[in-house]
Amino acid sequence: MARSALALPGDEMPWAGKLAICYLPEPRDFRTFVREVLREQPERVHYRLNSEAPLLVTSGQAIGAATEAERQQVVLAQVAEAFLRGRYPQSQFPAWLTGGFGRVCLLRADGLKSPRYAAYRKQVLQLIRENRLKPSDLLGEQLPERGEVLANSFVEFLAFGPEANNFPALLSGFRPDENGQIPSAVALLERLGLVGTAFEERWRNWVLGKLPAPKKDPVRK
């Protein structure tokens, strides 16, 4: 899923060699490894994608991930995030974009007719019926309540829906300019015409099936 959205040709990977995934579900083990081996302050997940030995370090911890199976799903979504970060190593993305991309790639990997994808679609439709959230609500400092569902849908719209052709330009736009400045998500989306009442109405219509269906992912043989 991530490969098709990022237009990675053939078997090309966005890093050198094979990605090693260090999954440390015990919080103490995770914190110790990050502090003593990576020499960084522990965060949700750590990526070392530009080295000769690319690495992803995670505990799989996330809100709502209470079981081992749920934590493993978190890890798989983080692997999809790694494709995004590896493909655009200089870009600095907002959390709603990276998180939404990872989660929606995982959902779509199950199939558009799978129970998990159907449950996710039901959540998005509920948001639209309530008319309480819209994509521009993602652009604040913090995600709103149920913001993850909104982020998943908006990123799916951008990466796999009718705006897919603009997705690479959006991702490239988060690179620092010659002065080291990174445009805000608001400024970048405005420049690409990906905000505004009419655009958000287009997202709603797409979710409701009034626009072309999501771009089909290539069938793996």
Side-chain angles (χ1 to χ4, degrees), residues 6 24 48 71 104 128 130 137 192 198 201:
L6 301 175
L24 300 168
R48 292 282 184 87
R71 286 192 290 271
V104 84
I128 290 179
E130 294 175 358
D137 293 326
L192 296 173
E201 186 64 24

Side-chain angles (χ1 to χ4, degrees), residues 12-77:
E12 180 182 329
M13 302 299 286
W15 46 70
K18 292 185 177 180
L19 176 67
I21 301 173
C22 185
Y23 173 45
L24 300 168
E26 290 297 328
R28 179 180 296 179
D29 294 340
F30 174 72
R31 290 193 298 268
T32 299
F33 184 91
V34 171
R35 289 188 176 119
E36 296 185 3
V37 178
L38 300 184
R39 298 189 180 280
E40 297 175 0
Q41 288 300 312
E43 297 182 2
R44 184 176 64 93
V45 58
H46 292 258
Y47 298 95
R48 292 282 184 87
L49 303 177
N50 296 327
S51 66
E52 294 182 359
L55 177 67
L56 185 160
V57 182
T58 180
S59 65
Q61 301 294 325
I63 296 174
T67 68
E68 177 63 19
E70 289 169 338
R71 286 192 290 271
Q72 289 181 8
Q73 292 293 304
V74 170
V75 175
L76 290 174

